[in-house]
Amino acid sequence: ILLKILKDPAMTQLDLQGTVFWSTDILITILDTLKHSKATRLNLSWNSLGKKSSTKLTNIFGALNTSRISHLNLSGNDFGQKSGTELATMLAALNNSGITHLNLSGNDFGQKSGTELATMLAALNNSGITHLNLSGNDFGQKSGTELATMLAALNNSGITHLNLSGNDFGQKSGTELATMLAALNNSGITHLNLSGNDFGQKSGTEL
């Protein structure tokens, strides 16, 4: 039945938000059928994927390599509980998969160290991903140096659109913000979203 639905030429988006697949094999089987589909957008948000091992996550995302998916939503999966190395292994599975837009918002990455975050993002270098959404990850709790370390990993990565909205950066000092943003110099990023960071509490001089 699922294969018949996916083969429908009118279906361009598959929404599996909040489905919570306890069986990795079932999820992989579903994703593998996407190679028969014209779907370009896949929503796997709020599926507790952070509880799965990096090996299982690699297998899950590897199943997308033969699909036409270009937009992948992985928001709200609590990936922040994984180590930087595990996150890098997971994201490396998306390299050259055809995915260009990746949503990793709301994954509590703010609890990771700057080095771990850099390790994670370095896995996206030349992956084919051009749009990265890291909004709502509570990065405001990190120091300016840690944030700079994280963002420097995106230099010449191929990512041109970066969303850092809703990360509570307004609590950082002007100097810390400058350190963070300087890391993006010559990064290749052309569109940066910093909305919803409560910068209104900063003085004009700090901004």
Side-chain angles (χ1 to χ4, degrees), residues 57-103:
L57 290 171
T58 298
N59 291 336
I60 288 170
F61 299 139
L64 296 175
N65 286 342
T66 56
S67 74
R68 300 184 185 183
I69 298 298
S70 59
H71 292 62
L72 178 60
N73 185 347
L74 294 175
S75 62
N77 272 296
D78 199 21
F79 287 132
Q81 64 182 292
K82 316 301 288 183
S83 71
T85 301
E86 287 180 306
L87 292 168
T89 299
M90 172 187 86
L91 294 180
L94 298 176
N95 285 2
N96 302 311
S97 63
I99 292 170
T100 57
H101 293 61
L102 179 61
N103 185 346

Side-chain angles (χ1 to χ4, degrees), residues 70-145:
S70 59
H71 292 62
L72 178 60
N73 185 347
L74 294 175
S75 62
N77 272 296
D78 199 21
F79 287 132
Q81 64 182 292
K82 316 301 288 183
S83 71
T85 301
E86 287 180 306
L87 292 168
T89 299
M90 172 187 86
L91 294 180
L94 298 176
N95 285 2
N96 302 311
S97 63
I99 292 170
T100 57
H101 293 61
L102 179 61
N103 185 346
L104 290 173
S105 63
N107 271 295
D108 201 20
F109 288 136
Q111 65 177 295
K112 313 311 296 178
S113 70
T115 301
E116 285 184 299
L117 292 170
T119 298
M120 173 186 80
L121 295 180
L124 297 178
N125 285 354
N126 302 310
S127 64
I129 292 171
T130 57
H131 293 61
L132 179 62
N133 185 346
L134 292 173
S135 63
N137 272 296
D138 199 21
F139 288 135
Q141 65 180 294
K142 314 309 295 179
S143 70
T145 301

